[in-house]
Amino acid sequence: GINGDMGRAMNWVILKDKSTGMEFFFMCTHMDAHYEEVRTLSAELIAKKATELSEGRPVIMVGDWNTNEHKPAYQYLAYGEYADARYRTADLEDMAIYSSYNKWGEFADQHYSRPPIDHCFVSPSNVFVDSAHVDQAFIDEDKTMFASDHNATIYNLQLLLPQAEEPETEPDTTVEETEEPVTTAPETETVVSETEPETEHETKAEESETATQ
């Protein structure tokens, strides 16, 4: 089993975008604060459960993961089926400057040296990351009082609609009937030789000549 400081939970819900009707899986958690081994086992269980419960829907997982990008728990989540949203946007300026944990202002001047422990993991095939940044969330005008011991990490995400598959078309097996060309016999010219009948005068002359001989 997993023996951490206290019981930890994974809260999840299936939500629907009213404008498109598209559903997505949203999850939030707070992992163990002291034992990396416990966090690694938790990361494995969370990823497996998210895949099971989402049933192919887009996945968004947020929370205080208490692990940074150099640790096994983070790497299991970021380099497997899911991805860290902060690295899927072109605008990394704010994310690179501010750590997500300020310890009520004690670490306020360590934005450059402390890697964030609050992350947003998404299914990269159907969640597009427009932007990501960290907000220190002061609650006074002098900017000395923090709203939380964690800075707000803010993401602008888009759900990608599945592309419609083109229906399969059956091959056309229709045989086109072609008309056979009609052949006609070549025209032949019939020549009739006409002979003029012998005249009666010519016949009698021939007979009298024979009799004389």
Side-chain angles (χ1 to χ4, degrees), residues 66-136:
N66 275 319
T67 188
N68 62 54
E69 57 193 70
H70 306 294
K71 303 295 184 179
Y74 170 93
Q75 293 170 1
Y76 184 90
L77 290 163
Y79 303 128
E81 187 174 353
Y82 303 104
D84 186 346
R86 73 191 295 264
Y87 288 119
R88 297 192 64 81
T89 176
D91 182 14
L92 286 176
E93 183 178 357
D94 289 338
M95 295 295 288
I97 293 175
Y98 295 116
S99 168
S100 63
Y101 181 55
N102 62 61
K103 199 176 180 180
W104 296 111
E106 185 177 335
F107 298 151
D109 59 346
Q110 299 181 29
H111 299 313
Y112 295 95
S113 60
R114 300 186 66 84
I117 60 174
D118 302 279
H119 311 288
C120 173
F121 298 104
V122 299
S123 49
S125 63
N126 46 27
V127 178
F128 178 78
V129 185
D130 280 326
S131 62
H133 72 277
V134 173
D135 189 342
Q136 288 184 292

Side-chain angles (χ1 to χ4, degrees), residues 130-188:
D130 280 326
S131 62
H133 72 277
V134 173
D135 189 342
Q136 288 184 292
F138 294 106
I139 59 175
D140 64 325
E141 294 182 357
D142 296 331
K143 296 184 177 182
T144 57
M145 297 178 63
F146 289 84
S148 169
D149 59 337
H150 289 253
N151 299 325
T153 55
I154 302 171
Y155 299 85
N156 186 9
L157 309 174
Q158 288 187 36
L159 303 179
L160 301 179
L161 293 171
Q163 295 183 350
E165 297 183 0
E166 295 184 0
E168 295 184 1
T169 56
E170 296 183 358
D172 188 3
T173 56
T174 304
V175 178
E176 294 184 0
E177 296 183 358
T178 57
E179 296 183 358
E180 296 182 359
V182 178
T183 56
T184 56
E187 294 182 359
T188 58

